């Protein structure tokens, strides 16, 4: 069965510092995709970054990068130079490639708070 | 502009009534999903559909039903059998490259 684990319920970070949000996953599917989403208090889900299991390089999108360690089954999100607007819930998610595993499952999330 | 539309944004219902939440997308995506989110919690999968006229149960399907008669539409019915229906409901679809799932703005359902 597929599973996503986020072990940090909450984090406090000083503005302008870098922050790493942890995500580990479990799947028997040889091909899968990993996603990170940001959810501000408004409830909308904002897509941040995607990593395919066969991608050779770690994904990057502006201040966001994904530290993908396939052997460890981890996909940590790194936010560089944090800003006050980064305060939100962050969710890691995974989707398999087989038809029976095409559901997208989410972790329990990490609430990130940026201190001025 | 393409996107996913959920309506209504807020919904109030009396206990024991069925209620249907709308989800429409014009992104031409095949796969669509329904999630439930309780305060401070993650997203739990209710139902998902990969193609028209086909759908599968997610992790918490009991008390819910769906239909997929058109590619663009994936309505969710919260039945009276759902013991605690008050929650935030999110609908999503995924692109053909499977690299981004697009979400609607969500529906906050309150049952009184």
């Amino acid at each position: 069965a597929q599973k996503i684990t986020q072990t940090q319920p909450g984090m406090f970070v000083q503005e302008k510092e870098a922050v790493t949000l942890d995500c580990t996953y479990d799947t028997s599917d040889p091909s899968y995709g990993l996603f990170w989403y940001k959810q501000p208090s408004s409830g909308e889900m904002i897509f941040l970054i995607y990593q395919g299991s066969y991608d050779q390089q770690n994904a990057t999108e502006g201040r966001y990068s994904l530290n993908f360690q396939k052997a460890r089954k981890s996909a940590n999100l790194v936010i560089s130079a944090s800003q006050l607007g980064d305060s939100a819930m962050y969710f890691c998610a995974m989707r398999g490639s087989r038809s029976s595993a095409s559901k997208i499952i989410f972790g329990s999330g990490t609430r990130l708070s940026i201190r001025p | 502009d393409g996107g996913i539309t959920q309506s209504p944004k807020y919904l109030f219902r009396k206990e024991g009534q069925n209620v249907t939440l709308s989800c429409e997308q014009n992104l031409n995506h095949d796969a669509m999903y329904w999630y439930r989110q309780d305060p401070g919690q993650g997203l739990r999968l209710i139902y998902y559909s990969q193609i028209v006229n086909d759908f599968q149960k997610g992790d918490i399907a009991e008390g819910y039903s769906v239909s997929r008669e058109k590619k663009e539409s994936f309505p969710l019915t919260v039945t009276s059998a759902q013991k605690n229906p008050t929650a935030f409901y999110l609908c999503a679809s995924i692109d053909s490259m499977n690299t981004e799932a697009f979400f609607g703005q969500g529906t906050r359902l309150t049952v009184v």
Side-chain angles (χ1 to χ4, degrees), chain B residues 13-58:
Chain B
R13 278 294 182 270
K14 290 185 177 179
E15 193 172 342
Q17 290 182 334
N18 291 356
V19 60
T20 297
L21 282 58
S22 170
C23 178
E24 302 277 335
Q25 55 102 356
N26 60 2
L27 300 164
N28 200 34
H29 291 170
D30 288 313
M32 297 185 72
Y33 304 81
W34 272 107
Y35 294 91
R36 169 183 171 135
Q37 187 178 29
D38 293 291
Q41 305 297 311
L43 280 67
R44 292 187 289 168
L45 183 63
I46 305 173
Y47 269 98
Y48 62 108
S49 168
Q50 297 183 76
I51 56 172
V52 174
N53 293 323
D54 186 48
F55 47 83
Q56 291 80 39
K57 292 182 179 180

Side-chain angles (χ1 to χ4, degrees), chain A residues 68-114:
Chain A
F68 181 48
Q69 298 189 43
K70 195 170 182 177
R72 292 187 174 184
K73 293 189 174 179
S74 76
N76 298 340
L77 177 71
V78 180
I79 306 174
S80 63
S82 58
Q83 303 171 356
L84 296 178
D86 293 334
S87 294
M89 283 288 286
Y90 288 80
F91 293 101
C92 179
M94 176 173 65
R95 184 178 196 252
S97 62
R98 296 177 186 165
S99 61
S100 62
S102 65
K103 56 185 180 181
I104 304 174
I105 60 168
F106 284 78
S108 56
T110 296
R111 182 173 296 281
L112 178 63
S113 300
I114 307 298

Side-chain angles (χ1 to χ4, degrees), chain A:
Chain A
Q2 294 178 302
K3 188 177 181 181
I4 291 277
T5 302
Q6 293 181 254
T7 57
Q8 306 154 309
M11 289 186 70
F12 287 88
V13 173
Q14 204 68 32
E15 189 180 8
K16 299 182 184 176
E17 288 184 350
V19 57
T20 298
L21 305 181
D22 295 340
C23 173
T24 58
Y25 61 91
D26 191 19
T27 181
S28 57
D29 200 325
S31 177
Y32 49 90
L34 296 156
F35 310 78
W36 276 93
Y37 282 83
K38 171 184 179 181
Q39 187 182 45
S41 56
S42 61
E44 65 179 310
M45 294 290 286
I46 301 170
F47 170 75
L48 297 178
I49 199 165
Y50 168 83
Q51 178 84 43
S53 59
Y54 289 121
D55 293 344
Q56 294 296 315
Q57 295 192 345
N58 287 344
T60 61
E61 289 286 350
R63 294 187 299 114
Y64 304 106
S65 61
L66 200 152
N67 184 1
F68 181 48
Q69 298 189 43
K70 195 170 182 177
R72 292 187 174 184
K73 293 189 174 179
S74 76
N76 298 340
L77 177 71
V78 180
I79 306 174
S80 63
S82 58
Q83 303 171 356
L84 296 178
D86 293 334
S87 294
M89 283 288 286
Y90 288 80
F91 293 101
C92 179
M94 176 173 65
R95 184 178 196 252
S97 62
R98 296 177 186 165
S99 61
S100 62
S102 65
K103 56 185 180 181
I104 304 174
I105 60 168
F106 284 78
S108 56
T110 296
R111 182 173 296 281
L112 178 63
S113 300
I114 307 298
R115 293 184 174 130

